[in-house]
Each structure stands twice: as structure tokens, then as C-alpha cells.
Amino acid sequence: TTSEMASLEMTGSASHGHSSLPGDTPRMRAIRDRLNRFIETEVRPATIEYEKHVSDPPPGKTRWDVPPIMEKLKSKARSEGLWNLFLPHEYEEGAKLTNAEYAHLAEVMGRTRLAAEACNCAAPDTGNMEVLAKFGTEEQKRKWLTPLLDGEIRSCFLMTEPAVASSDARNIETAIKRDGDDYVISGRKWWTTGAMDPRCKVGLLMGKTDKSKPQHLQQSMIIVPMDSPGITIVRPLTVFGYDDAPGGHPEVLLENVRVPAANIVLGEGRGFEIAQARLGPGRIHHCMRAIGTAEEAQGLMIERALSRVAFGRSLAKQGSVAHNVANNRIAIDQARLLVLHTADMIDRYGCGSRETSNLIAMIKVAVPHVVHTVLDRAIQVFGGAGVSGDFPLAYAYGMSRALRIVDGPDEVHLRTIAREEMRPVVLKLAGKRPEPRTKAKL
């Protein structure tokens, strides 16, 4: 069955059985074994109940109410030691894993839609928790980080705006104005993932505190309680028709929203600095979960090809299908190795160094393309069933396409890659020597 195939630890995958891979440690493998068992015995069976609750809510409920089965999964994951695995080893609140170790686990979680949330490792909470753990004051941690780490609440990230090209964060126009002991926030955001969820109690918002400052010092990040007066959920948006209930991706209007001045994160003008620290590990998480989705699609594609007959022989024996299975394996393993290398470099050099910024951009471009192609091939083998809601491929296809825009579109990352690639030649032609590389962290 599909479930049985999925329980095999990615047979043929380059990420298993080779201790030379970054993050492939005995500690990680022990957690991965438990995680695989948890997904097969708990998460997959619960998915049917979860999806039925969302698509056909019981009396008195809507699709925006969280299915009760999720809390049961979270309780089980916590008892199994599969909780908050994402938080890097330098933070006392986390599982003490390196980014490279966690990357392997993120891939496993990516094979099912519910696993990351069940383990309290889902976006946007993970990025928000990392920001609060790294930059938050003790009071900010007590009030917001602790309940997030405990899974008692959820959060959102308010950055993208409908009125400007938000791929250039300098364009962000939401105003954060100081007024005595408060800040007053006014603006319109959208694609605010998770804000429809009734458990979403807090958001991290990017806005401008001082337009007179240099462009990269105008933006600040501030904590916004989502029950603050002046916040209106305008509408849920859809991704190729999917509304992603119960979390959603709504448009949010903020009209003179007043929050305490103590809610500013790190200080005025530090928004870019915080955003970059947030997005680095987050892109590892996104990419490895996406690779897990590609592995799931590959397994479904192979099972379908072996079980269906056309023109007198199984689809698996048709030349084009077999070639696509092989090309999928090549592409998935290449993408995984690039992400694992990037995670290892983040562990060695940090997110802000020249050694890692280019790699982070590379995986953000490469992985969504690979996953999108694998899903496209799998859908083709499934035929009409592939584009239906009967299988997870159509939903995954839409999400993988959106990933080429989420956290910065391809074009922004390609610009970064090209600039760094040309930099040594530009310096050489100018008669200058490149700066020495950053020393790795011990």
C-alpha cells in the first residue's frame, strides 16, 4: 500500500545509510526512527479524520475551527520526544540539534501535511519562535515564546503588502509610529499565513518606524497581539483555489492598532537584520519539507505505474514513465545534497555570512523547481485522478508553485546568486582583492 511504501525510509534516497552526509548522526537517526513510526501509526490515520472535519464540519463548527484530532497528535508527539525539534542547538529551549540534523527530520515531516504542526515545527511559528528566542527580551519570551513553545497558541507573520512589490522589503509601507509609551500601527497586509486560526494569538509585523533614516534602517519588527482593537481579518485568500483552512492566508487590515512600546523587537531600525536571521533556517525547513513531499510523490507515482496497465503492459514499463522515475531520483538527491550542505554551512558560519547567503538563495530557487517537476510527472502518471482532490498531488502541486514566491521570488534569489558569482571577477578587473572568508564557528 501507499502507507507501507511511505514507511520505508525513502528507499533509494541518498539521505539514508551514509554517515558522511551532514547531519546524519546517531542522535538524528534515533529521532528519525521515532518520527517515522509516529507518522505511520498516528499521523497518517488521523489525516482522514482531520480532512473530513475541515471539508464537512460537524454541527456548530466551521472549516476555520481546528479539528480536535490535532491536539491529540500534539500530545502524543510531545510524549514521544518529537517536540520543538527545529530550534537550533544554541538555544536552551530547543532539542539541541544542529540545522543539518534537523534538516533530515524536516524532510520526514514533509511527507504528510499534518506532521510538522503535530510536532510544533510548522511555519510560521518556527520562524517567529526563533526570532523571539534570539532577539526577544525576557518579558517578550515569557509572554509569547513560552506559550508558543508549549503549543498553547499559534502565531502569524505580517510582512507582505498588496499595494507594493513586497519582494523588495524596502517598499513596505505599514507605519509604526511612536506615541508615548505605545506604538500605533496602520497598514494593510496579506498572505498572513495562519491568521485565520482561532489559536493565532500573536503576530510579528514588519513596518516602518522612521522614513528619514537610510533605507535599510527604516524598518522595524514589532509584536502585535492579534486581539488588539483595530485589527480586521478582511478575507481569506486562496492558493489555486485552496484556502488552507483552518490556518488560511488572509488579508489583514490594521487601523491605528496600539501596542506597548516594549513590544518592539531588538529596537527601531533592526527589521532587516531580524528578517534575515529569521529567513535563513526557515528556508532550510521549507526546502527539506518540500523534498519530503517530492519523495512522497515519487512513491505514489511508482505505485501507480506498477498497478496500472495501458496498451498491454504496466505503465512502469513504458519508456517515458521509467525515465521520469529515474530523473526524479537524480533531481531529488541532488536537491537534498545541496540543502544539507547549506544547513551544514549555516551551522559552521551562521546565516549572515557570504559563505551561506548565496547557498540559501540557491536552495530557495532549486528545490521548488525540482519538487514542482516531480509532482508534475506524478500527476501525469495518475491522469485525471492526479488533478482531482482524491489524492494529495494537486494540493502539493499548488503549494510547490507558491513556494517559488514565498520568502522571496526566484528572481530576487537569482539576482543574489549572480551578483556573488560575478563578484570575484569584478574585483579582479578593478584591481582589488576579495575579502577573506569568515572563519567557521567551532
Side-chain angles (χ1 to χ4, degrees), residues 20-295:
S20 61
L21 285 174
D24 190 4
T25 64
R27 172 174 60 177
M28 183 282 294
R29 289 195 293 271
I31 297 174
R32 187 178 61 200
D33 288 345
R34 297 202 310 273
L35 183 58
N36 270 310
R37 285 195 298 271
F38 172 68
I39 288 173
E40 295 308 316
T41 61
E42 304 289 343
V43 177
R44 287 190 190 277
T47 301
I48 297 173
E49 179 181 339
Y50 185 97
E51 292 180 349
K52 185 179 187 307
H53 187 285
V54 172
S55 62
D56 185 19
K61 299 292 184 180
T62 73
R63 60 189 288 103
W64 303 107
D65 290 303
V66 181
I69 190 67
M70 177 52 70
E71 291 305 313
K72 295 178 182 178
L73 289 175
K74 288 164 64 176
S75 177
K76 183 68 174 177
R78 193 162 192 171
S79 68
E80 294 283 340
L82 302 172
W83 193 254
N84 291 335
L85 300 172
F86 71 94
L87 206 55
H89 59 95
E90 60 263 33
Y91 300 112
E92 62 182 26
E93 299 93 345
K96 309 299 183 185
L97 298 172
T98 65
N99 285 289
E101 286 175 315
Y102 177 69
H104 293 273
L105 306 178
E107 177 178 348
V108 176
M109 292 182 204
R111 295 182 70 110
T112 62
R113 183 179 175 184
L114 305 183
E117 182 182 346
C119 297
N120 211 38
C121 293
D125 295 333
T126 49
N128 291 341
M129 285 189 271
E130 285 197 48
V131 166
L132 292 171
K134 184 170 185 176
F135 301 113
T137 64
E138 290 305 312
E139 177 60 16
Q140 290 170 351
K141 290 180 181 180
R142 182 196 66 78
K143 192 169 184 179
W144 302 114
L145 177 59
T146 297
L148 282 167
L149 287 169
D150 288 340
E152 296 174 359
I153 64 172
R154 296 208 65 188
S155 63
C156 61
F157 187 61
L158 302 103
M159 181 168 178
T160 306
E161 299 181 3
V164 299
S166 303
S167 57
D168 182 352
R170 295 172 300 181
N171 290 334
I172 297 299
E173 287 297 327
T174 294
I176 306 174
K177 295 182 178 180
R178 185 69 182 257
D179 183 21
D181 292 333
D182 297 328
Y183 282 101
V184 179
I185 305 166
S186 296
R188 187 181 295 267
K189 301 288 188 178
W190 69 346
W191 298 112
T192 313
T193 298
M196 297 292 295
D197 192 320
R199 300 165 299 175
C200 181
K201 303 301 182 184
V202 64
L204 287 182
L205 178 141
M206 184 90 148
K208 285 186 177 177
T209 44
D210 190 344
K211 292 186 177 182
S212 68
K213 294 284 183 68
Q215 283 189 322
H216 285 82
L217 297 176
Q218 296 178 9
Q219 291 78 10
S220 300
M221 204 166 287
I222 194 165
I223 299 168
V224 182
M226 293 304 290
D227 61 356
S228 300
I231 295 180
T232 302
I233 302 295
V234 178
R235 58 178 175 136
L237 302 173
T238 60
V239 180
F240 293 112
Y242 294 101
D243 62 12
D244 265 350
H249 313 280
E251 180 177 347
V252 180
L253 178 63
L254 301 102
E255 298 176 290
N256 297 315
V257 176
R258 187 173 291 271
V259 302
N263 283 21
I264 202 81
V265 180
L266 200 58
E268 290 190 11
R270 308 291 290 275
F272 268 99
E273 177 185 349
I274 298 168
Q276 288 306 308
R278 182 185 189 276
L279 290 174
R283 286 170 182 151
I284 297 290
H285 305 171
H286 276 311
C287 288
M288 287 305 286
R289 282 196 300 266
I291 289 170
T293 301
E295 284 287 0

Side-chain angles (χ1 to χ4, degrees), residues 388-405:
S388 76
D390 292 351
F391 294 89
L393 297 173
Y395 172 80
Y397 185 83
M399 295 305 113
S400 73
R401 181 59 184 85
L403 195 56
R404 290 179 54 196
I405 300 171

